[in-house]
Amino acid sequence: MAAELNHLRAWIGRTRTERELVSPRLASQLAATLDHESFPEEGAALPPLWHWALFPSIAAQAQLGADGHPQRGGFLPPVTLPRRMWAGSKLQFERPLTIGSVVTRTSHIVDVAEKEGRSGKLVFIRIRHQLEDDDGPLLSEEQDVVYKEAAASAYQHATSPLAPDRFTWSRTITPDPTLLFRYSADTFNGHRIHYDRTYAREREGYPALVVHGPLIATLLLDLLQRSLPDATIASFSFKAVNPLFDDAAFHVRAEPVANSNDIKLWAVNTAGVLCVDANATLSAPAASHKAK
């Protein structure tokens, strides 16, 4: 594996620059997917994390791998481990994107690392994204993508870690194939674990369709914005801890951290197990904002 890792690390430093319109139609699609009653209009601010629907990996059908992702070896290194997941992100927000504007994203491969996990060998790819428009920087993000070995046995639901039992705001999400399909469509994500139940079970060993990690993270910030609609989010980070599936409801929850600008956020399944761990920092303490 050392020789392969050295080959993969040759991708460190690769850069890609893309430009895209922040489409009013795409913003409306995301609002509908997230179950908003009103849709943002051109000239309005794009809510945080909705930029993940921009700059999708577009490849011809013949260029897709068995998992529905573009075949490996382009901008991302050709990792041979078969299962791929978005492990987490850290973001700093400078200004909101404006619906109807043109945005540039510059992406860099900053690290390739091998680790050993519960499921065997793991390869982590860290990517730094920087978004800007004609007026300057908008946000910066460090994204971690993880590649895993094939499932060696039937999936075992995690029993730990347990999620906090104290929270100020909570919302119950009932995922279903339609929600997962719509978010996949919004983000042009062909990963079959989110819509192909047979593939998810038989090829990747999951018990049901997998809820997208970035969808869960977006629902967490969506909860915060519903609870504190006038708050400005300065930074956000999330880490996938355990997967969530479309065969059961889950909860997104949040709790302000006393005497700080921080908000603790998490997603928890019906067994009380922590699935996504996140943190947001506001531009001012939560107590200074009007809560719904």
Side-chain angles (χ1 to χ4, degrees):
M1 188 70 181
E4 181 182 355
L5 181 61
N6 288 336
H7 174 62
L8 299 177
R9 288 182 62 82
W11 263 253
I12 294 175
R14 291 205 177 194
T15 299
R16 179 173 64 187
T17 299
E18 305 160 276
R19 286 173 60 83
E20 183 163 347
L21 170 70
V22 184
S23 162
R25 180 185 61 79
L26 182 57
S28 295
Q29 286 181 198
L30 285 162
T33 299
L34 297 172
D35 209 17
H36 285 256
E37 294 183 359
S38 60
F39 299 165
E41 298 179 352
E42 186 166 352
L46 189 75
L49 304 187
W50 291 25
H51 73 282
W52 283 338
L54 302 174
F55 312 105
S57 296
I58 299 176
Q61 194 72 13
Q63 297 173 341
L64 299 181
D67 61 358
H69 279 302
Q71 293 176 6
R72 301 169 187 183
F75 174 66
L76 291 175
V79 181
T80 57
L81 298 177
R83 296 193 293 166
R84 171 180 167 180
M85 300 290 289
W86 189 326
S89 282
K90 297 179 180 179
L91 302 101
Q92 296 285 335
F93 299 103
E94 302 291 338
R95 296 182 294 115
L97 283 69
T98 301
I99 298 171
S101 67
V102 175
V103 173
T104 299
R105 182 178 76 172
T106 303
S107 304
H108 308 267
I109 305 292
V110 297
D111 195 24
V112 180
E114 179 187 343
K115 298 182 181 180
E116 194 77 21
R118 291 179 299 178
S119 59
K121 291 178 181 177
L122 306 171
V123 172
F124 284 86
I125 312 296
R126 177 161 293 175
I127 311 160
R128 180 176 295 123
H129 303 292
Q130 295 171 302
L131 273 66
E132 60 182 14
D133 61 12
D134 290 341
D135 295 322
L138 295 162
L139 65 88
S140 61
E141 174 180 2
E142 285 201 349
Q143 175 191 2
D144 288 319
V145 177
V146 61
Y147 294 84
K148 303 179 179 183
E149 293 186 38
S153 58
Y155 181 82
Q156 298 292 320
H157 287 280
T159 58
S160 64
L162 295 179
D165 55 9
R166 176 181 173 179
F167 54 87
T168 298
W169 304 297
S170 180
R171 184 176 175 218
T172 299
I173 307 296
T174 303
D176 59 26
T178 303
L179 172 63
L180 303 192
F181 166 79
R182 293 178 88 181
Y183 190 74
S184 289
D186 293 339
T187 56
F188 202 65
N189 182 352
H191 200 179
R192 293 169 64 184
I193 62 172
H194 303 305
Y195 60 86
D196 185 337
R197 195 175 302 276
T198 300
Y199 175 87
R201 286 175 170 170
E202 297 182 1
R203 292 291 297 274
E204 300 217 13
Y206 295 114
L209 297 177
V210 180
V211 183
H212 313 64
L215 172 58
I216 302 167
T218 302
L219 287 165
L220 286 169
L221 270 196
D222 187 65
L223 169 69
L224 179 54
Q225 293 193 293
R226 290 172 187 261
S227 304
L228 296 176
D230 64 339
T232 299
I233 298 167
S235 67
F236 175 76
S237 63
F238 86 95
K239 179 181 179 181
V241 180
N242 287 299
L244 287 164
F245 304 101
D246 77 328
D247 58 356
F250 64 91
H251 310 288
V252 288
R253 289 176 172 164
E255 172 73 11
V257 177
N259 303 315
S260 78
N261 295 12
D262 291 342
I263 307 288
K264 187 69 177 172
L265 305 106
W266 63 95
V268 54
N269 66 18
T270 53
V273 174
L274 180 68
C275 295
V276 173
D277 192 22
N279 189 82
T281 300
L282 307 182
S283 59
S288 67
H289 299 287
K290 183 179 180 181
K292 278 193 174 182

PDB file of all heavy atoms in Angstrom, residues 240-256:
ATOM      1  N   ALA A 240     -18.999  13.402   9.949  1.00  0.00           N
ATOM      2  CA  ALA A 240     -19.867  12.222   9.908  1.00  0.00           C
ATOM      3  C   ALA A 240     -19.340  11.200  10.916  1.00  0.00           C
ATOM      4  O   ALA A 240     -18.167  10.835  10.879  1.00  0.00           O
ATOM      5  CB  ALA A 240     -19.885  11.638   8.505  1.00  0.00           C
ATOM      6  N   VAL A 241     -20.209  10.742  11.815  1.00  0.00           N
ATOM      7  CA  VAL A 241     -19.820   9.793  12.857  1.00  0.00           C
ATOM      8  C   VAL A 241     -20.398   8.409  12.577  1.00  0.00           C
ATOM      9  O   VAL A 241     -19.691   7.402  12.629  1.00  0.00           O
ATOM     10  CB  VAL A 241     -20.267  10.299  14.239  1.00  0.00           C
ATOM     11  CG1 VAL A 241     -19.872   9.316  15.340  1.00  0.00           C
ATOM     12  CG2 VAL A 241     -19.682  11.684  14.528  1.00  0.00           C
ATOM     13  N   ASN A 242     -21.695   8.354  12.281  1.00  0.00           N
ATOM     14  CA  ASN A 242     -22.376   7.112  11.917  1.00  0.00           C
ATOM     15  C   ASN A 242     -23.380   7.432  10.818  1.00  0.00           C
ATOM     16  O   ASN A 242     -23.958   8.522  10.805  1.00  0.00           O
ATOM     17  CB  ASN A 242     -23.110   6.515  13.123  1.00  0.00           C
ATOM     18  CG  ASN A 242     -22.171   5.892  14.145  1.00  0.00           C
ATOM     19  OD1 ASN A 242     -21.439   4.962  13.845  1.00  0.00           O
ATOM     20  ND2 ASN A 242     -22.183   6.437  15.362  1.00  0.00           N
ATOM     21  N   PRO A 243     -23.617   6.502   9.886  1.00  0.00           N
ATOM     22  CA  PRO A 243     -24.564   6.792   8.800  1.00  0.00           C
ATOM     23  C   PRO A 243     -26.013   6.785   9.269  1.00  0.00           C
ATOM     24  O   PRO A 243     -26.366   6.152  10.276  1.00  0.00           O
ATOM     25  CB  PRO A 243     -24.302   5.662   7.803  1.00  0.00           C
ATOM     26  CG  PRO A 243     -23.733   4.552   8.626  1.00  0.00           C
ATOM     27  CD  PRO A 243     -22.957   5.203   9.727  1.00  0.00           C
ATOM     28  N   LEU A 244     -26.837   7.520   8.527  1.00  0.00           N
ATOM     29  CA  LEU A 244     -28.285   7.499   8.705  1.00  0.00           C
ATOM     30  C   LEU A 244     -28.900   6.928   7.437  1.00  0.00           C
ATOM     31  O   LEU A 244     -28.363   7.104   6.335  1.00  0.00           O
ATOM     32  CB  LEU A 244     -28.827   8.907   8.958  1.00  0.00           C
ATOM     33  CG  LEU A 244     -28.529   9.491  10.347  1.00  0.00           C
ATOM     34  CD1 LEU A 244     -28.747  10.994  10.360  1.00  0.00           C
ATOM     35  CD2 LEU A 244     -29.411   8.820  11.403  1.00  0.00           C
ATOM     36  N   PHE A 245     -30.054   6.268   7.604  1.00  0.00           N
ATOM     37  CA  PHE A 245     -30.679   5.570   6.494  1.00  0.00           C
ATOM     38  C   PHE A 245     -32.136   5.997   6.348  1.00  0.00           C
ATOM     39  O   PHE A 245     -32.720   6.621   7.243  1.00  0.00           O
ATOM     40  CB  PHE A 245     -30.588   4.058   6.712  1.00  0.00           C
ATOM     41  CG  PHE A 245     -29.185   3.561   6.920  1.00  0.00           C
ATOM     42  CD1 PHE A 245     -28.716   3.266   8.194  1.00  0.00           C
ATOM     43  CD2 PHE A 245     -28.329   3.413   5.840  1.00  0.00           C
ATOM     44  CE1 PHE A 245     -27.419   2.821   8.395  1.00  0.00           C
ATOM     45  CE2 PHE A 245     -27.027   2.967   6.030  1.00  0.00           C
ATOM     46  CZ  PHE A 245     -26.573   2.672   7.304  1.00  0.00           C
ATOM     47  N   ASP A 246     -32.717   5.646   5.195  1.00  0.00           N
ATOM     48  CA  ASP A 246     -34.082   6.086   4.909  1.00  0.00           C
ATOM     49  C   ASP A 246     -35.146   5.187   5.524  1.00  0.00           C
ATOM     50  O   ASP A 246     -36.339   5.369   5.264  1.00  0.00           O
ATOM     51  CB  ASP A 246     -34.306   6.179   3.390  1.00  0.00           C
ATOM     52  CG  ASP A 246     -34.521   4.822   2.735  1.00  0.00           C
ATOM     53  OD1 ASP A 246     -33.937   3.822   3.220  1.00  0.00           O
ATOM     54  OD2 ASP A 246     -35.275   4.742   1.754  1.00  0.00           O
ATOM     55  N   ASP A 247     -34.746   4.226   6.368  1.00  0.00           N
ATOM     56  CA  ASP A 247     -35.723   3.312   6.969  1.00  0.00           C
ATOM     57  C   ASP A 247     -36.167   3.749   8.353  1.00  0.00           C
ATOM     58  O   ASP A 247     -36.911   3.028   9.022  1.00  0.00           O
ATOM     59  CB  ASP A 247     -35.166   1.884   7.025  1.00  0.00           C
ATOM     60  CG  ASP A 247     -33.860   1.780   7.802  1.00  0.00           C
ATOM     61  OD1 ASP A 247     -33.336   2.830   8.237  1.00  0.00           O
ATOM     62  OD2 ASP A 247     -33.360   0.641   7.963  1.00  0.00           O
ATOM     63  N   ALA A 248     -35.737   4.941   8.815  1.00  0.00           N
ATOM     64  CA  ALA A 248     -36.142   5.425  10.133  1.00  0.00           C
ATOM     65  C   ALA A 248     -35.966   6.934  10.188  1.00  0.00           C
ATOM     66  O   ALA A 248     -35.097   7.509   9.512  1.00  0.00           O
ATOM     67  CB  ALA A 248     -35.321   4.755  11.233  1.00  0.00           C
ATOM     68  N   ALA A 249     -36.764   7.575  11.016  1.00  0.00           N
ATOM     69  CA  ALA A 249     -36.634   9.011  11.235  1.00  0.00           C
ATOM     70  C   ALA A 249     -35.355   9.303  12.022  1.00  0.00           C
ATOM     71  O   ALA A 249     -34.770   8.421  12.653  1.00  0.00           O
ATOM     72  CB  ALA A 249     -37.851   9.534  11.988  1.00  0.00           C
ATOM     73  N   PHE A 250     -34.923  10.559  11.951  1.00  0.00           N
ATOM     74  CA  PHE A 250     -33.829  11.013  12.802  1.00  0.00           C
ATOM     75  C   PHE A 250     -34.114  12.441  13.237  1.00  0.00           C
ATOM     76  O   PHE A 250     -35.070  13.074  12.769  1.00  0.00           O
ATOM     77  CB  PHE A 250     -32.477  10.897  12.084  1.00  0.00           C
ATOM     78  CG  PHE A 250     -32.315  11.762  10.859  1.00  0.00           C
ATOM     79  CD1 PHE A 250     -31.794  13.038  10.933  1.00  0.00           C
ATOM     80  CD2 PHE A 250     -32.675  11.274   9.604  1.00  0.00           C
ATOM     81  CE1 PHE A 250     -31.630  13.824   9.802  1.00  0.00           C
ATOM     82  CE2 PHE A 250     -32.513  12.050   8.459  1.00  0.00           C
ATOM     83  CZ  PHE A 250     -31.991  13.325   8.556  1.00  0.00           C
ATOM     84  N   HIS A 251     -33.306  12.954  14.160  1.00  0.00           N
ATOM     85  CA  HIS A 251     -33.524  14.287  14.709  1.00  0.00           C
ATOM     86  C   HIS A 251     -32.287  15.146  14.462  1.00  0.00           C
ATOM     87  O   HIS A 251     -31.155  14.674  14.625  1.00  0.00           O
ATOM     88  CB  HIS A 251     -33.797  14.235  16.210  1.00  0.00           C
ATOM     89  CG  HIS A 251     -34.852  13.251  16.603  1.00  0.00           C
ATOM     90  ND1 HIS A 251     -36.180  13.443  16.352  1.00  0.00           N
ATOM     91  CD2 HIS A 251     -34.740  12.034  17.210  1.00  0.00           C
ATOM     92  CE1 HIS A 251     -36.864  12.397  16.797  1.00  0.00           C
ATOM     93  NE2 HIS A 251     -36.014  11.530  17.313  1.00  0.00           N
ATOM     94  N   VAL A 252     -32.508  16.399  14.063  1.00  0.00           N
ATOM     95  CA  VAL A 252     -31.440  17.395  14.042  1.00  0.00           C
ATOM     96  C   VAL A 252     -31.678  18.314  15.236  1.00  0.00           C
ATOM     97  O   VAL A 252     -32.804  18.761  15.478  1.00  0.00           O
ATOM     98  CB  VAL A 252     -31.406  18.177  12.711  1.00  0.00           C
ATOM     99  CG1 VAL A 252     -30.878  17.282  11.593  1.00  0.00           C
ATOM    100  CG2 VAL A 252     -32.774  18.740  12.320  1.00  0.00           C
ATOM    101  N   ARG A 253     -30.595  18.589  15.991  1.00  0.00           N
ATOM    102  CA  ARG A 253     -30.743  19.307  17.251  1.00  0.00           C
ATOM    103  C   ARG A 253     -29.630  20.331  17.415  1.00  0.00           C
ATOM    104  O   ARG A 253     -28.570  20.212  16.802  1.00  0.00           O
ATOM    105  CB  ARG A 253     -30.748  18.317  18.423  1.00  0.00           C
ATOM    106  CG  ARG A 253     -32.031  17.495  18.453  1.00  0.00           C
ATOM    107  CD  ARG A 253     -32.066  16.449  19.521  1.00  0.00           C
ATOM    108  NE  ARG A 253     -33.416  15.860  19.568  1.00  0.00           N
ATOM    109  CZ  ARG A 253     -33.725  14.728  20.163  1.00  0.00           C
ATOM    110  NH1 ARG A 253     -32.777  14.029  20.796  1.00  0.00           N
ATOM    111  NH2 ARG A 253     -34.977  14.286  20.154  1.00  0.00           N
ATOM    112  N   ALA A 254     -29.887  21.305  18.277  1.00  0.00           N
ATOM    113  CA  ALA A 254     -28.914  22.376  18.494  1.00  0.00           C
ATOM    114  C   ALA A 254     -29.032  22.890  19.918  1.00  0.00           C
ATOM    115  O   ALA A 254     -30.123  22.901  20.514  1.00  0.00           O
ATOM    116  CB  ALA A 254     -29.142  23.516  17.502  1.00  0.00           C
ATOM    117  N   GLU A 255     -27.900  23.332  20.451  1.00  0.00           N
ATOM    118  CA  GLU A 255     -27.826  23.869  21.806  1.00  0.00           C
ATOM    119  C   GLU A 255     -26.768  24.965  21.846  1.00  0.00           C
ATOM    120  O   GLU A 255     -25.598  24.722  21.519  1.00  0.00           O
ATOM    121  CB  GLU A 255     -27.464  22.754  22.798  1.00  0.00           C
ATOM    122  CG  GLU A 255     -27.170  23.211  24.210  1.00  0.00           C
ATOM    123  CD  GLU A 255     -28.418  23.650  24.972  1.00  0.00           C
ATOM    124  OE1 GLU A 255     -29.537  23.411  24.466  1.00  0.00           O
ATOM    125  OE2 GLU A 255     -28.274  24.216  26.061  1.00  0.00           O
ATOM    126  N   PRO A 256     -27.137  26.214  22.218  1.00  0.00           N
ATOM    127  CA  PRO A 256     -26.123  27.268  22.353  1.00  0.00           C
ATOM    128  C   PRO A 256     -25.125  26.929  23.457  1.00  0.00           C
ATOM    129  O   PRO A 256     -25.493  26.368  24.495  1.00  0.00           O
ATOM    130  CB  PRO A 256     -26.949  28.507  22.715  1.00  0.00           C
ATOM    131  CG  PRO A 256     -28.353  28.190  22.297  1.00  0.00           C
ATOM    132  CD  PRO A 256     -28.500  26.719  22.467  1.00  0.00           C
TER     133      PRO A 256
END
